[in-house]
Amino acid sequence: MDQLSTKRCLLTAITEQDIITLLAFFERAENLYYYLPTELKNFDLKSLETELSQWSDGQSNLAWAIRLKSGETIGIANFEDIDYDNLTAELGLLIAFPEYRGRGLAKEVAQSLFRYAFEDLALNRVSCRVMEGNEASFRLIASLGFRKEGIMVEALRRPDRYLDLHYFALLKREWLQEETVND
């Protein structure tokens, strides 16, 4: 798996130390309310290792630790369900710690991942899912040029209510057009 670089971040293979650092986020189920479209649970080190190993099989699922160039692990990014026949994948991105959010790091990382997806993997389509109420992710998706494709109403059960799941996608030609405009 390739290491990716942005102005302020490195995306690298996930190490044991990254997992230990990220455990501070994943060990509290309430942190996952808007993140994982699975049951809410408190992860321990072993269950987090197992979960993240499934996110990066080197073929149809690729995952990176997001590190500042100064060395701190601040999140994870992944492509899942990479379909090399249809040239599609789903993007996942997490800036785990509040002190690093709102600084444009997620957008910077996403732009690097798009270059990798569309140029290196030669994909045609990158999609993502955002849960109702995750306003920061909605703003990020809009700023990246994603197009809304639909909503699965009450698709996710949380302890206090059901949440809608919003689907978005970005095509290679749309990304290339955005890249041209921003050059």
Side-chain angles (χ1 to χ4, degrees), residues 31-91:
N31 288 342
L32 303 175
Y33 191 91
Y34 293 115
Y35 182 61
L36 292 176
T38 59
E39 68 175 307
L40 296 178
K41 64 180 180 179
N42 298 320
F43 283 86
D44 59 23
L45 187 59
K46 184 166 180 50
S47 62
L48 184 57
E49 285 174 341
T50 300
E51 184 81 16
L52 293 180
S53 71
Q54 294 170 1
W55 291 9
S56 193
D57 62 17
Q59 296 295 318
S60 61
N61 300 290
L62 304 173
W64 295 266
I66 303 170
R67 292 193 192 96
L68 294 179
K69 287 192 173 173
S70 56
E72 303 100 301
T73 301
I74 63 167
I76 52 176
N78 69 304
F79 285 123
E80 65 178 285
D81 299 326
I82 301 170
D83 180 337
Y84 293 100
D85 292 327
N86 292 301
L87 302 176
T88 64
E90 183 174 335
L91 172 68

Side-chain angles (χ1 to χ4, degrees), residues 70-182:
S70 56
E72 303 100 301
T73 301
I74 63 167
I76 52 176
N78 69 304
F79 285 123
E80 65 178 285
D81 299 326
I82 301 170
D83 180 337
Y84 293 100
D85 292 327
N86 292 301
L87 302 176
T88 64
E90 183 174 335
L91 172 68
L93 191 119
L94 167 71
I95 302 297
F97 306 108
E99 61 268 28
Y100 299 109
R101 296 179 189 148
R103 297 181 176 187
L105 294 165
K107 184 171 184 175
E108 190 176 306
V109 166
Q111 289 168 330
S112 178
L113 289 166
F114 291 150
R115 275 189 294 286
Y116 183 71
F118 294 131
E119 294 176 359
D120 297 339
L121 297 178
L123 298 181
N124 182 58
R125 182 178 190 278
V126 173
S127 63
C128 67
R129 297 174 287 172
V130 179
M131 285 184 229
E132 169 190 351
N134 189 342
E135 298 307 321
S137 290
F138 283 124
R139 287 189 302 274
L140 174 64
I141 293 306
S143 76
L144 291 167
F146 275 85
R147 174 181 23 79
K148 190 168 196 172
E149 294 193 326
I151 301 172
M152 289 183 63
V153 177
E154 295 186 4
L156 298 167
R157 185 171 59 103
R158 291 299 187 237
D160 58 336
R161 63 187 173 132
Y162 287 91
L163 296 173
D164 296 347
L165 191 57
H166 298 251
Y167 283 80
F168 298 86
L170 181 67
L171 299 176
K172 182 176 184 176
R173 63 180 160 79
E174 295 166 333
W175 174 74
L176 287 170
Q177 185 175 7
E178 278 292 315
E179 286 289 290
T180 304
V181 169
N182 292 326

Side-chain angles (χ1 to χ4, degrees), residues 16-32:
E16 183 72 26
Q17 186 57 51
D18 295 322
I19 295 170
I20 291 168
T21 300
L22 292 167
L23 183 60
F25 176 84
F26 283 92
E27 69 187 354
R28 298 184 61 210
E30 61 269 19
N31 288 342
L32 303 175

